[in-house]
Short mmCIF file of all heavy atoms in Angstrom, two decimals:
data_model
loop_
_atom_site.label_atom_id
_atom_site.label_comp_id
_atom_site.label_asym_id
_atom_site.label_seq_id
_atom_site.Cartn_x
_atom_site.Cartn_y
_atom_site.Cartn_z
N HIS A 55 -22.01 -100.49 139.82
CA HIS A 55 -22.55 -99.13 139.97
C HIS A 55 -23.65 -98.85 138.98
O HIS A 55 -24.71 -98.31 139.33
CB HIS A 55 -21.39 -98.12 139.79
CG HIS A 55 -21.79 -96.70 140.05
ND1 HIS A 55 -21.67 -96.10 141.31
CD2 HIS A 55 -22.36 -95.77 139.27
CE1 HIS A 55 -22.11 -94.84 141.23
NE2 HIS A 55 -22.55 -94.62 139.99
N LEU A 56 -23.45 -99.22 137.73
CA LEU A 56 -24.40 -98.91 136.68
C LEU A 56 -25.60 -99.83 136.68
O LEU A 56 -26.69 -99.48 136.24
CB LEU A 56 -23.73 -98.92 135.30
CG LEU A 56 -22.68 -97.82 135.06
CD1 LEU A 56 -22.07 -97.98 133.67
CD2 LEU A 56 -23.27 -96.44 135.20
N SER A 57 -25.42 -101.07 137.13
CA SER A 57 -26.52 -102.04 137.10
C SER A 57 -27.59 -101.72 138.11
O SER A 57 -28.76 -102.13 137.93
CB SER A 57 -25.95 -103.44 137.36
OG SER A 57 -25.09 -103.84 136.35
N SER A 58 -27.25 -101.01 139.17
CA SER A 58 -28.23 -100.70 140.20
C SER A 58 -28.93 -99.38 139.91
O SER A 58 -28.29 -98.32 139.75
CB SER A 58 -27.52 -100.59 141.57
OG SER A 58 -28.44 -100.08 142.52
N PRO A 59 -30.26 -99.39 139.82
CA PRO A 59 -31.01 -98.13 139.58
C PRO A 59 -30.74 -97.11 140.69
O PRO A 59 -30.86 -95.89 140.44
CB PRO A 59 -32.46 -98.58 139.59
CG PRO A 59 -32.43 -100.04 139.23
CD PRO A 59 -31.17 -100.57 139.83
N ALA A 60 -30.35 -97.57 141.86
CA ALA A 60 -30.13 -96.64 142.97
C ALA A 60 -28.89 -95.81 142.76
O ALA A 60 -28.79 -94.69 143.29
CB ALA A 60 -30.03 -97.41 144.27
N THR A 61 -27.90 -96.35 142.07
CA THR A 61 -26.61 -95.63 141.91
C THR A 61 -26.32 -95.23 140.46
O THR A 61 -25.40 -94.46 140.21
CB THR A 61 -25.44 -96.51 142.39
OG1 THR A 61 -25.45 -97.77 141.66
CG2 THR A 61 -25.58 -96.80 143.88
N ARG A 62 -27.11 -95.73 139.51
CA ARG A 62 -26.78 -95.55 138.09
C ARG A 62 -26.59 -94.11 137.70
O ARG A 62 -25.70 -93.78 136.92
CB ARG A 62 -27.91 -96.19 137.24
CG ARG A 62 -27.66 -96.12 135.75
CD ARG A 62 -28.77 -96.81 134.99
NE ARG A 62 -28.89 -98.21 135.48
CZ ARG A 62 -30.00 -98.88 135.51
NH1 ARG A 62 -31.14 -98.34 135.10
NH2 ARG A 62 -30.00 -100.16 135.91
N HIS A 63 -27.36 -93.22 138.23
CA HIS A 63 -27.31 -91.80 137.87
C HIS A 63 -26.63 -90.95 138.90
O HIS A 63 -26.89 -89.74 139.00
CB HIS A 63 -28.70 -91.28 137.52
CG HIS A 63 -29.32 -91.97 136.36
ND1 HIS A 63 -30.67 -92.26 136.24
CD2 HIS A 63 -28.75 -92.42 135.19
CE1 HIS A 63 -30.90 -92.87 135.12
NE2 HIS A 63 -29.75 -92.97 134.45
N THR A 64 -25.75 -91.59 139.69
CA THR A 64 -24.87 -90.82 140.59
C THR A 64 -23.45 -91.05 140.10
O THR A 64 -23.14 -92.05 139.46
CB THR A 64 -24.98 -91.34 142.03
OG1 THR A 64 -24.56 -92.71 142.11
CG2 THR A 64 -26.41 -91.21 142.56
N PRO A 65 -22.55 -90.10 140.32
CA PRO A 65 -21.18 -90.24 139.80
C PRO A 65 -20.47 -91.49 140.36
O PRO A 65 -20.48 -91.75 141.56
CB PRO A 65 -20.48 -88.96 140.25
CG PRO A 65 -21.59 -87.98 140.48
CD PRO A 65 -22.74 -88.80 141.00
N CYS A 66 -19.82 -92.21 139.50
CA CYS A 66 -18.94 -93.33 139.89
C CYS A 66 -17.51 -92.86 139.76
O CYS A 66 -17.03 -92.59 138.64
CB CYS A 66 -19.18 -94.53 138.98
SG CYS A 66 -18.08 -95.93 139.28
N ARG A 67 -16.85 -92.74 140.92
CA ARG A 67 -15.47 -92.21 140.92
C ARG A 67 -14.51 -93.31 141.35
O ARG A 67 -14.66 -93.88 142.44
CB ARG A 67 -15.37 -91.00 141.85
CG ARG A 67 -16.08 -89.81 141.33
CD ARG A 67 -15.99 -88.61 142.25
NE ARG A 67 -17.17 -88.50 143.09
CZ ARG A 67 -17.64 -87.36 143.59
NH1 ARG A 67 -17.00 -86.23 143.39
NH2 ARG A 67 -18.75 -87.35 144.34
N ILE A 68 -13.52 -93.61 140.51
CA ILE A 68 -12.56 -94.66 140.78
C ILE A 68 -11.14 -94.09 140.63
O ILE A 68 -10.83 -93.46 139.61
CB ILE A 68 -12.75 -95.85 139.81
CG1 ILE A 68 -14.11 -96.49 140.02
CG2 ILE A 68 -11.64 -96.87 140.03
CD1 ILE A 68 -14.43 -97.60 139.03
N ALA A 69 -10.30 -94.28 141.64
CA ALA A 69 -8.92 -93.82 141.61
C ALA A 69 -7.98 -95.01 141.78
O ALA A 69 -8.15 -95.77 142.74
CB ALA A 69 -8.68 -92.76 142.66
N VAL A 70 -7.04 -95.16 140.90
CA VAL A 70 -6.08 -96.27 140.96
C VAL A 70 -4.67 -95.72 141.01
O VAL A 70 -4.24 -95.04 140.04
CB VAL A 70 -6.25 -97.22 139.74
CG1 VAL A 70 -5.21 -98.33 139.79
CG2 VAL A 70 -7.64 -97.79 139.71
N ALA A 71 -3.95 -95.97 142.10
CA ALA A 71 -2.54 -95.60 142.23
C ALA A 71 -1.72 -96.88 142.11
O ALA A 71 -2.05 -97.87 142.75
CB ALA A 71 -2.27 -94.90 143.55
N SER A 72 -0.67 -96.85 141.32
CA SER A 72 0.05 -98.09 141.08
C SER A 72 1.51 -97.85 140.80
O SER A 72 1.94 -96.71 140.49
CB SER A 72 -0.57 -98.80 139.86
OG SER A 72 -0.28 -98.09 138.68
N GLY A 73 2.29 -98.94 140.85
CA GLY A 73 3.64 -98.92 140.35
C GLY A 73 3.65 -99.02 138.85
O GLY A 73 2.60 -98.91 138.19
N HIS A 74 4.84 -99.24 138.28
CA HIS A 74 4.98 -99.26 136.83
C HIS A 74 4.53 -100.60 136.22
O HIS A 74 4.60 -101.64 136.86
CB HIS A 74 6.42 -99.00 136.44
CG HIS A 74 6.86 -97.61 136.57
ND1 HIS A 74 6.21 -96.56 135.97
CD2 HIS A 74 7.88 -97.02 137.27
CE1 HIS A 74 6.79 -95.42 136.24
NE2 HIS A 74 7.80 -95.67 137.06
#
Side-chain angles (χ1 to χ4, degrees):
H55 184 92
L56 293 179
S57 296
S58 171
T61 58
R62 182 177 303 149
H63 296 143
T64 62
C66 175
R67 291 180 261 208
I68 297 175
V70 177
S72 70
H74 284 304

